Amino acid sequence: MDKLQDAVDILKAYNQEHIIKLLQNLDEEHKENLINDIYNIDFHQIMELYENTKKPIDIKESKIENIDYLDKAKLSKKDLEKYNELGENIIRSGQYAVVTMAGGQGTRLGHNGPKGTFKLDVYGKGKYLFEILADNLKEANDKYGVVIPWYIMTSHENNKQTVEFLKKHNYFGYDEDSIFIFEQSDLPLVDTEGKLLISKDFRIKKASDGNGGTYSSLRASGALADMKERDIKWVFIGGVDNVLLKMADVTLLGVAIDKGVQIASKSVVKSNPHEKVGVFCKMNGHPKVIEYAELPEKMAEERDENGELKYGESHIMCNLYTIEAIEKCSREPLIYHSAFKKNSYIDENGKEVIPDAPNSYKFESFIFDAFEFFDDMAILRGKREDDFAPVKNKEGVDSPKTAKELYEKYWKRQAKKVREEV
Ligand code: UTP
């Protein structure tokens, strides 16, 4: 009884009265679970994050400059060979690992299940996003005579389904001993008035805390320790939803090694000044990605003397790190951003509400916010048609339809190339 009163007092103190009635009417088991959730929430942090959603984003105080990059298409044959050899040596010697971030909610796609379990309608019979990634890695394994350890990050919300799915599909032929699945951390969701949402199982509704959670989750889960045991020196981290993602790009690796930097990233040129992607720049002398919502319109449209967008290198979740860099990022706190998303919830009367428009804030740290911990990084500009076909939205841009087209076109070009080579 004391615990219940205690929980009620906490709820009152943080303006969460809407949960009290529900809590009082729950059976003992559900009541106990919800009370424990209430005890374990850092309300101070959540309320601060909620208050921040009302503040305008201001980057005027910072000194922003454009950042250097290498264009893969413009490299000389000699340089390309030099980079490829450097990269290949690392992969062949078993010092390379790959992480897939698959902890997102995929709210825009609206697929019922983890995004990696979405089947893209290619070649008639279709391919799952996880299958496409597995194929990309298996191709690299065959080419370099290794089995690249594959770390897959899930969330509390989708871990069970992901594990079952991969098992059911026999890991798409990937060596099971080389796969390490780990869960990322999460944070409560709040509505526009700062009220916590309740989930279907009468718990405080939480969601994964952004892809920036990858670093600390790699450490907390033991994945980082596992990498060290395997003598991994370089780690690639990529998303689950780009069907043209190259997870073992020897040129990118070679460029990073040659430049002597700890992090590197593949970019593609923004398709238009207002494309909804983050762009690379230098902020106060450090590498940085500015999210599309945070980039002032004038800067988004600024062009250099060659007529190219000054802030046109898009971040496509294709990042590479030394193991030391991962260790460093895992120990530094990242700032949280808020994303306004559609989330169902249980109302005061215990009824489920399924909104048809965004209704709640999800707090997320971004993987690229760690770039500023470093003095420099290497950026390799790839080609959109070769490197970037994301599955984000149900329809329109970056949808299954556009990804299917880009994927099939890419593989058609590859087949043609092979035919021309023989
Ligand atoms: P997005 O930011 O596009 O989010 O993730 P999303 O969850 O896939 O889709 P929406 O915004 O809800 O529609 C980019 C990559 O980061 C991963 C995603 O799985 C995807 O590979 N991610 C995102 C995580 O692993 N954890 C997170 O908390 C957020």
Side-chain angles (χ1 to χ4, degrees):
M1 244 11 231
D2 281 353
K3 266 179 103 180
L4 176 64
Q5 190 52 50
D6 234 25
V8 168
D9 289 346
I10 296 174
L11 292 173
K12 281 185 181 159
Y14 290 98
N15 212 12
Q16 304 294 329
E17 283 90 349
H18 65 296
I19 301 175
I20 298 174
K21 184 170 143 202
L22 186 80
L23 177 63
Q24 284 165 340
N25 290 330
L26 288 177
D27 63 41
E28 282 314 307
E29 193 190 335
H30 284 112
K31 197 178 275 176
E32 170 108 23
N33 286 340
L34 185 51
I35 290 174
N36 283 338
D37 280 357
I38 294 166
Y39 276 171
N40 285 316
I41 285 173
D42 183 344
F43 278 94
H44 186 74
Q45 178 197 30
I46 295 301
M47 291 305 109
E48 195 174 325
L49 292 174
Y50 166 67
E51 289 305 322
N52 284 343
T53 63
K54 297 186 232 165
K55 292 183 193 154
I57 299 149
D58 191 3
I59 56 170
K60 276 192 229 82
E61 294 293 305
S62 311
K63 183 170 174 257
I64 301 174
E65 301 157 284
N66 57 346
I67 193 163
D68 289 340
Y69 62 86
L70 276 180
D71 189 341
K72 192 171 176 176
K74 291 186 183 154
L75 292 178
S76 67
K77 191 164 176 273
K78 196 168 146 243
D79 278 347
L80 185 66
E81 280 170 4
K82 174 184 76 177
Y83 295 137
N84 289 353
E85 195 186 329
L86 283 170
E88 240 188 87
N89 288 342
I90 292 291
I91 300 184
R92 283 194 187 281
S93 61
Q95 296 176 325
Y96 189 75
V98 160
V99 179
T100 295
M101 302 179 295
Q105 287 186 295
T107 51
R108 285 168 289 170
L109 183 63
H111 164 61
N112 185 17
K115 217 188 221 183
T117 69
F118 177 78
K119 200 175 199 178
L120 190 69
D121 165 34
V122 285
Y123 307 133
K125 84 185 222 302
K127 264 184 159 194
Y128 297 102
L129 298 189
F130 274 131
E131 185 179 3
I132 290 174
L133 294 175
D135 282 355
N136 179 245
L137 280 182
K138 284 191 292 180
E139 192 191 334
N141 288 345
D142 288 348
K143 198 164 173 188
Y144 305 119
V146 284
V147 180
I148 297 172
W150 186 14
Y151 299 81
I152 300 173
M153 183 172 80
T154 63
S155 65
H156 183 65
E157 257 182 307
N158 74 15
N159 182 68
K160 194 164 165 272
Q161 269 177 295
T162 306
V163 170
E164 281 170 7
F165 174 85
L166 288 172
K167 213 173 182 162
K168 185 174 147 210
H169 290 276
N170 199 22
Y171 304 93
F172 296 105
Y174 213 81
D175 171 37
E176 193 183 337
D177 294 336
S178 303
I179 293 188
F180 188 121
I181 301 176
F182 66 103
E183 252 182 64
Q184 73 171 110
S185 40
D186 48 20
L187 278 174
L189 295 157
V190 299
D191 72 9
T192 50
E193 282 161 21
K195 310 272 187 211
L196 297 177
L197 300 194
I198 300 293
S199 65
K200 253 192 191 155
D201 54 355
F202 304 109
R203 310 284 300 251
I204 298 293
K205 186 155 179 157
K206 294 181 180 172
S208 45
D209 62 355
N211 53 42
T214 309
Y215 308 116
S216 57
S217 305
L218 274 171
R219 187 158 54 79
S221 65
L224 181 58
D226 186 75
M227 287 174 181
K228 287 182 187 162
E229 249 167 54
R230 292 176 193 248
D231 206 21
I232 298 297
K233 298 279 187 281
W234 286 90
V235 183
F236 176 89
I237 304 183
V240 72
D241 52 11
N242 172 8
V243 299
L244 289 181
L245 184 68
K246 310 286 177 293
M247 294 185 284
D249 183 334
V250 287
T251 319
L252 180 66
L253 186 48
V255 166
I257 296 167
D258 187 67
K259 196 170 176 189
V261 288
Q262 294 209 58
I263 47 170
S265 192
K266 172 95 71 72
S267 67
V268 298
V269 186
K270 232 177 167 183
S271 63
N272 66 74
H274 300 291
E275 189 188 5
K276 290 183 169 177
V277 287
V279 288
F280 284 97
C281 68
K282 274 209 156 177
M283 192 182 278
N284 302 325
H286 293 269
K288 170 101 187 156
V289 171
I290 310 186
E291 257 294 78
Y292 60 87
E294 299 174 5
L295 183 70
E297 197 173 323
K298 203 168 149 262
M299 283 178 67
E301 290 169 357
E302 224 172 309
R303 295 195 181 260
D304 65 14
E305 57 284 359
N306 303 318
E308 290 214 44
L309 288 173
K310 205 165 161 196
Y311 302 97
E313 297 310 308
S314 321
H315 174 258
I316 56 165
M317 300 273 171
C318 184
N319 299 320
L320 191 63
Y321 308 75
T322 60
I323 193 89
E324 293 80 15
I326 298 275
E327 174 87 47
K328 180 182 166 87
C329 297
S330 77
R331 294 185 186 279
E332 302 258 2
L334 292 175
I335 55 158
Y336 284 103
H337 304 251
S338 60
F340 197 43
K341 298 201 175 196
K342 218 168 24 176
N343 281 290
S344 61
Y345 62 97
I346 298 295
D347 72 9
E348 286 178 55
N349 303 315
K351 290 249 154 55
E352 190 182 17
V353 180
I354 302 174
D356 44 27
N359 62 321
S360 46
Y361 293 105
K362 178 186 187 217
F363 301 111
E364 299 185 304
S365 61
F366 294 155
I367 188 137
F368 51 66
D369 278 335
F371 295 167
E372 66 192 60
F373 302 149
F374 300 85
D375 291 333
D376 201 4
M377 69 184 288
I379 294 173
L380 182 68
R381 179 193 276 185
K383 274 193 189 153
R384 185 170 280 263
E385 64 268 31
D386 290 345
D387 292 300
F388 193 47
V391 180
K392 295 283 180 200
N393 305 307
K394 214 177 171 67
E395 286 162 351
V397 286
D398 300 341
S399 63
K401 188 166 177 276
T402 56
K404 167 195 161 73
E405 275 169 24
L406 288 161
Y407 184 86
E408 289 181 343
K409 272 190 194 151
Y410 172 81
W411 284 105
K412 207 169 160 186
R413 283 200 306 278
Q414 291 304 106
K416 192 167 168 239
K417 233 192 228 167
V418 173
R419 276 200 307 276
E420 281 167 3
E421 274 166 18
V422 289

